[in-house]
Amino acid sequence: MSLPRSLPPIRTLATGAVWLAASATLASTATAQNRPAIRPLGPTLATTSDSLGMVNNVRALSDGRLLINDATSRRVLLVDTTFKVLAVVADSTASTANAYGPRSGALIAYRGDSTLFVDAASLSMLVIDPAGRIARVMSVPRSQDAMVLAAGGLGSSAYYSDGHLVYRGSPALQMRMAERSGAGGGVPQMPTQPDSMPIQRVNLQTRAVDTVGFVKVPKTNTSMNRSDDGTISVSIEVNPLPVVDEWAVTANGDVALIRGRDYHVDWISPGRQQRSSTKIPFDWRRLGDEDKVRLIDSVKAIRDRQAAANPGQGQQMAQAFGAAMGGGAVAAGGAGGPVVMRFEVNGGPGGATSGQVRAPRISAPQINYVSPSTLPDYQPPFFAGSARPDADGNIWVRTIPTKPEPAGVVYDVINDKGEAVDRVLVPEGRVIVGFAPGGVVYLAARDGMSTKLERARVR
């Protein structure tokens, strides 16, 4: 069973709301530093004529053709430079050999113009050749990592580099049902979520795994209680402004670990040599006690407005938790990406009977926030899921504004020396979904669940 389609609203409420709140409600106390001036993204060269679903990521080929991962419609398309569809590489028809699968997948640039498409449901990776045909099928290196490999666009990514798959690991957390007598049955005991994750490499030939480094990730605390009538209540505590690290694999194979506490890059080369860059200039904003209280209040107000606009959201989340409690392995998508949890039930009226597990009733989850005093003293430079490598050796980091800026989203462009050499304003309502060599960027212009894809120049 899978939760990602139900749980991303938690991430949206936490990070999206604080983005607005931090920009609109806190006064800047930063001093100007030596940073590049903000400039607009270059001109748009092409736009899709037909709407797509939710585009998770794209894969640019060397001749300008593009593979599009349309996760909502569960299909992979091959298009030319004008976005004309040349082939449907994978679709949602389960009876065909090129089935997309029941869950969202991810495209990973492989050797040359070949591409991997990760299908977590079947624990497989389709090898797509340069013509857009499925050449062969490989198993994922390790079954427990299938969900994180397929999580492109959901806060974590995977890359092919020097014969390895490089990706952020995810622990297999076990949640148990504590025994309890009476009609209420057992009370779920939530596992403790770690605050750091390993960046791992898997050799595709030997399947050997090694750890490159560790990154700090957001931590969400979840607790559950069961009432006398058997209903389980869920409480989720969120930190809307966590200090996290980001990471990416550059075009030359270096792994970049971008540290959020002081904004610098630690580098690991394919040969495992390590180096660190100097701190990247940033307009650090100090948060006083009143700022922290005001920020939490602003986030709560925005979340309440969003909840009122989408009254069915709480019930959708409750249904997702209820399905999870029915047994099996679940990938729960939080702000730090998917975390695989296995649910075990130990007897009792709410537990297993004849090998089956009865799904309990779940009330709408209650979203709470950490105490203002636990927020950082300085606003961090970015949220989780903010870094993307381009095809020319740079890393683009979506930054949190510390003072009024033009409408849109500003990215720091960091070169292979760890220097911010550019600051680019991406138009409002656009999300970067991929790059091509020579300063080409692909944007998704989203309108609800519909998407138009755009190709633009960096300059």
Side-chain angles (χ1 to χ4, degrees):
M1 302 177 189
S2 179
L3 293 186
R5 296 190 182 187
S6 296
L7 289 189
I10 300 175
R11 185 186 343 171
T12 301
L13 294 172
T15 60
V18 76
W19 191 306
L20 295 172
S23 300
T25 66
L26 297 180
S28 174
T29 59
T31 58
Q33 300 184 50
N34 186 22
R35 305 179 70 191
I38 298 173
R39 66 166 183 86
L41 187 69
T44 299
L45 306 176
T47 304
T48 52
S49 56
D50 297 326
S51 294
L52 302 165
M54 192 68 71
V55 176
N56 271 4
N57 63 335
V58 300
R59 155 71 158 135
L61 305 182
S62 60
D63 59 1
R65 291 175 302 149
L66 189 71
L67 287 167
I68 301 173
N69 178 19
D70 186 347
T72 304
S73 302
R74 291 168 49 214
R75 58 181 181 168
V76 175
L77 304 176
L78 177 64
V79 301
D80 64 13
T81 56
T82 67
F83 291 129
K84 177 184 176 181
V85 176
L86 300 176
V88 178
V89 179
D91 57 34
S92 57
T93 305
S95 60
T96 63
N98 60 336
Y100 187 99
R103 300 174 183 166
S104 298
L107 296 171
I108 301 173
Y110 193 39
R111 297 169 179 162
D113 270 348
S114 59
T115 306
L116 298 177
F117 176 74
V118 183
D119 177 12
S122 63
L123 304 180
S124 63
M125 300 187 295
L126 310 181
V127 181
I128 304 172
D129 69 15
R133 297 183 296 260
I134 296 176
R136 60 191 178 99
V137 180
M138 299 190 296
S139 63
V140 296
R142 304 194 307 173
S143 60
Q144 64 265 39
D145 296 331
M147 286 301 301
V148 292
L149 289 172
L154 293 177
S156 56
S157 302
Y159 305 89
Y160 175 78
S161 175
D162 193 34
H164 296 78
L165 278 182
V166 186
Y167 57 95
R168 204 199 73 186
S170 186
L173 304 177
Q174 289 189 340
M175 186 179 81
R176 300 178 181 274
M177 297 283 285
E179 294 184 4
R180 172 181 167 182
S181 60
V187 179
Q189 296 178 329
M190 292 297 296
T192 300
Q193 181 181 333
D195 61 3
S196 64
M197 297 283 188
I199 304 301
Q200 300 177 157
R201 300 192 315 170
V202 175
N203 187 306
L204 291 183
Q205 295 298 319
T206 66
R207 302 298 170 113
V209 181
D210 67 313
T211 298
V212 176
F214 289 84
V215 290
K216 188 174 179 59
V217 299
K219 184 175 181 179
T220 300
N221 297 317
T222 304
S223 61
M224 294 187 179
N225 292 288
R226 187 190 291 269
S227 63
D228 290 338
D229 65 359
T231 300
I232 290 179
S233 60
V234 182
S235 177
I236 303 172
E237 186 182 62
V238 175
N239 182 344
L241 196 63
V243 177
V244 297
D245 298 330
E246 265 296 271
W247 75 282
V249 178
T250 65
N252 68 0
D254 284 345
V255 177
L257 308 179
I258 308 164
R259 305 303 184 184
R261 182 162 297 280
D262 61 359
Y263 203 15
H264 81 275
V265 184
D266 292 331
W267 305 88
I268 301 95
S269 73
R272 301 303 299 270
Q273 290 81 23
Q274 300 183 24
R275 71 184 193 277
S276 294
S277 302
T278 59
K279 296 178 182 179
I280 298 170
F282 186 72
D283 295 329
W284 295 98
R285 172 194 289 164
R286 182 171 179 80
L287 302 178
D289 293 341
E290 293 183 358
D291 295 327
K292 296 177 183 181
V293 172
R294 188 160 64 250
L295 189 147
I296 291 289
D297 290 343
S298 297
V299 172
K300 289 179 180 178
I302 293 171
R303 195 199 76 83
D304 289 343
R305 290 197 296 270
Q306 290 180 340
N310 185 11
Q313 183 182 77
Q315 188 57 39
Q316 293 168 5
M317 293 173 62
Q319 291 172 353
F321 272 100
M325 294 300 296
V330 176
V339 174
V340 178
M341 294 187 291
R342 288 176 174 80
F343 295 82
E344 299 182 2
V345 179
N346 301 327
T353 303
S354 302
Q356 296 187 2
V357 179
R358 184 177 65 195
R361 294 184 299 276
I362 308 290
S363 61
Q366 175 68 41
I367 307 297
N368 300 312
Y369 296 94
V370 298
S371 168
S373 62
T374 65
L375 295 181
D377 291 333
Y378 286 88
Q379 178 181 304
F382 51 78
F383 289 119
S386 296
R388 281 186 175 274
D390 66 17
D392 299 309
N394 304 304
I395 303 171
W396 291 50
V397 178
R398 186 179 66 241
T399 55
I400 304 174
T402 59
K403 56 187 176 182
E405 294 178 350
V409 179
V410 176
Y411 284 79
D412 280 355
V413 182
I414 302 171
N415 66 10
D416 59 0
K417 298 178 182 179
E419 303 165 335
V421 294
D422 205 356
R423 296 179 70 202
V424 180
L425 176 68
V426 172
E428 192 172 14
R430 269 66 174 174
V431 176
I432 294 178
V433 292
F435 294 89
V440 175
V441 58
Y442 292 95
L443 307 170
R446 295 176 180 170
D447 182 11
M449 296 301 291
S450 179
T451 301
K452 293 278 190 178
L453 203 61
E454 300 174 347
R455 185 174 76 252
R457 300 289 305 181
V458 172
R459 292 187 176 273

